[in-house]
């Protein structure tokens, strides 16, 4: 045989898309696993012509699921971000949009048995250790994908998937503020380095000479801005204890500016070498926490909610995303949990093939 077939479910999760695998169907060792995922996606080509990637970072993501040995969780979710043009697989971050499809994929794979019209799926994010409770619609014991929920960045409507994130503070660095400061300065740019669901370096758009309302294309075309941002991001990554992040997608980068369409605050999120077309679920939690925390770079950009839970509406290039934040404000901001409503849809299933020279299979 010249090719190896691997069972998979192809899902849209939130505003991202990619293959979902049963971890047991993939190679154990990380080096071979990376080569398999590069082949699956078709990394190394701008349009991923020799794989099932979509040519942009939100469509070159991979989820690997397995029964959890955690007493709390039902399913372990192991995430990989595969580069579009570079042959890089990053196992450090997680992805909240792809996580939106974990509950449905677990049901489709038989890893979770529906318990009624609505099924709770307890998920442990292996990359970060975060715990997420997902509620999916399973009338008659089968996944339901049709519904009346809309999310910005996805056409049409679908069934709701409610996500409640717990234990996301310091998930990668061990600290809410990894540098110990509410603000740091790199290359003359004030930055808040924060780790909530995703480690991020967050700045004010105005400090880069931007409005914060630029389109995705306008930002992606502004290579001078990206060069300045990348320098700040690398310095922030080192200060956060993440080491040399030049080949890592973390920390991600975010920009803040005053809301102009009725939201709480306007945001732009970077993946980090391109602009996100909408907003990452993990990034939304970090940006919402930054917005709520006194002393951060968000000061003066919004009127902060003072009672918990607070519904933080982040404006982004495709619309808005709402984050329901449960927090305490004593001497400082403390995040208890964050909830979001997303959707997902099964697109295909079967086998995806990689050359046998990459992997001969189990």
């Amino acid at each position: 045989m010249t090719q190896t077939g691997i069972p998979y479910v192809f899902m849209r999760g939130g505003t991202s898309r990619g293959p979902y695998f049963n971890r047991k169907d993939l190679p154990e060792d990380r080096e071979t696993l990376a080569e398999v995922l590069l082949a699956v996606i078709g990394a190394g080509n701008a349009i991923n012509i020799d794989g099932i990637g979509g040519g942009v970072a939100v469509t070159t993501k991979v989820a690997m699921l397995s029964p959890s040995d955690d007493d709390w969780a039902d399913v372990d979710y192991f995430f990989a971000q595969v580069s579009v043009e570079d042959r890089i697989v990053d196992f450090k971050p997680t992805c909240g949009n792809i996580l939106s499809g974990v509950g449905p994929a677990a049901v489709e794979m038989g890893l979770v048995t529906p318990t009624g019209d609505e099924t709770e799926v307890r998920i442990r994010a292996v990359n970060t250790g975060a715990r997420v409770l997902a509620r999916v619609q399973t009338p008659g014991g089968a996944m339901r994908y049709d519904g009346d929920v809309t999310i910005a960045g996805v056409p049409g409507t679908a069934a709701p998937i409610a996500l409640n994130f717990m234990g996301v503070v310091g998930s990668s660095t061990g600290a809410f503020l990894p540098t110990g400061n509410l603000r740091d300065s790199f290359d003359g740019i004030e930055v808040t380095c924060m780790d909530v669901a995703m480690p991020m370096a967050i700045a004010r758009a105005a400090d880069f000479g931007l409005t914060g309302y630029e389109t995705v294309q306008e930002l992606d075309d502004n290579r001078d801005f990206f060069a300045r941002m990348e320098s700040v991001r690398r310095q922030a990554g080192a200060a956060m204890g993440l080491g040399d992040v030049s080949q890592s997608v973390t920390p991600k980068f975010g920009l803040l500016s005053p809301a102009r369409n009725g939201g709480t605050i306007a945001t732009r999120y970077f993946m980090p070498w391109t602009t996100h077309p909408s907003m990452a679920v993990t990034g939304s939690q970090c940006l919402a926490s930054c917005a709520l925390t006194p002393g951060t770079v968000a000061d003066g950009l919004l009127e902060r909610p003072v009672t918990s839970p607070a519904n933080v509406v982040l404006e982004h290039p495709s619309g808005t995303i709402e984050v329901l934040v449960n927090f305490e404000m004593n001497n400082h901001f403390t995040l208890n949990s964050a909830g979001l409503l997303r959707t997902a849809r099964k697109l295909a299933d079967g086998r995806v093939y990689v050359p046998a020279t990459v992997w001969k299979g189990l």
Side-chain angles (χ1 to χ4, degrees):
M1 292 181 65
T2 61
Q3 295 205 91
T4 302
I6 308 169
Y8 82 122
V9 178
F10 200 46
M11 302 276 301
R12 173 187 63 78
T15 54
S16 294
R17 190 190 74 198
Y20 290 64
F21 295 104
N22 192 320
R23 184 68 180 89
K24 69 178 180 62
D25 294 329
L26 295 167
E28 282 294 329
D29 72 282
R30 193 66 62 86
E31 185 175 342
T32 306
L33 175 61
E35 290 299 317
V36 167
L37 299 185
L38 289 168
V40 166
I41 294 300
N45 175 269
I47 58 173
N48 304 136
I49 193 65
D50 203 35
I52 62 171
V56 290
V58 294
T59 60
T60 57
K61 299 170 181 282
V62 178
M64 295 160 279
L65 313 185
S66 58
S68 182
D69 57 8
D70 184 278
D71 291 339
W72 178 86
D74 303 310
V75 178
D76 277 354
Y77 156 54
F78 181 37
F79 172 75
Q81 177 70 64
V82 182
S83 292
V84 175
E85 296 190 64
D86 300 317
R87 292 183 58 79
I88 298 173
V89 181
D90 197 343
F91 294 106
K92 290 180 183 178
T94 189
C95 174
N97 275 302
I98 288 293
L99 189 146
S100 305
V102 168
V107 172
E108 297 282 1
M109 293 179 185
L111 295 174
V112 169
T113 302
T115 56
D117 289 346
E118 184 177 84
T119 298
E120 289 189 350
V121 183
R122 298 176 183 269
I123 303 164
R124 179 178 67 170
V126 173
N127 307 65
T128 62
R131 292 176 169 182
V132 183
L133 178 64
R135 292 185 176 88
V136 300
Q137 305 304 303
T138 53
M143 272 305 309
R144 178 187 176 189
Y145 294 105
D146 65 302
D148 57 6
V149 172
T150 61
I151 61 173
V154 177
T157 62
I161 298 173
L163 302 175
N164 191 34
F165 291 80
M166 297 161 282
V168 292
V169 174
S171 55
S172 294
T173 66
F176 178 62
L177 298 169
T179 68
N181 305 317
L182 285 162
R183 300 190 194 196
D184 295 280
S185 181
F186 306 106
D187 293 346
I189 300 290
E190 278 198 321
V191 172
T192 291
C193 297
M194 187 170 283
D195 184 3
V196 176
M198 175 67 67
M200 288 190 67
I202 304 167
R204 291 181 293 260
D207 290 350
F208 282 97
L210 301 171
T211 65
Y213 313 123
E214 288 83 1
T215 66
V216 171
Q217 192 63 55
E218 287 171 339
L219 289 168
D220 283 347
D221 289 344
N222 191 340
R223 303 322 296 175
D224 288 341
F225 159 66
F226 267 86
R228 293 179 66 198
M229 178 182 68
E230 179 63 7
S231 175
V232 173
R233 189 188 75 89
R234 292 186 185 188
Q235 294 175 69
M240 296 167 80
L242 296 171
D244 179 3
V245 300
S246 59
Q247 298 296 308
S248 176
V249 298
T250 55
K252 299 292 175 64
F253 207 91
L255 293 178
L256 301 177
S257 52
R260 67 172 184 175
N261 293 314
T264 306
I265 196 165
T267 60
R268 293 296 185 265
Y269 183 80
F270 303 89
M271 300 184 288
W273 302 299
T274 56
T275 311
H276 199 292
S278 53
M279 175 54 63
V281 167
T282 47
S284 71
Q285 298 169 66
C286 196
L287 289 165
S289 297
C290 182
L292 291 173
T293 303
T296 67
V297 293
D299 280 4
L301 300 181
L302 75 161
E303 185 175 336
R304 285 193 173 94
V306 294
T307 58
S308 177
N311 192 40
V312 180
V313 181
L314 303 178
E315 298 177 359
H316 59 72
S318 297
T320 61
I321 186 171
E322 298 183 17
V323 187
L324 186 65
V325 182
N326 186 297
F327 66 96
E328 296 175 17
M329 188 72 75
N330 297 318
N331 294 326
H332 58 275
F333 174 85
T334 301
L335 175 70
N336 295 325
S337 65
L340 296 97
L341 192 67
R342 307 304 282 162
T343 67
R345 189 168 77 86
K346 178 181 176 181
L347 304 176
D349 63 15
R351 291 177 181 269
V352 62
Y353 288 85
V354 300
T357 51
V358 173
W359 186 50
K360 289 184 170 57
L362 297 171

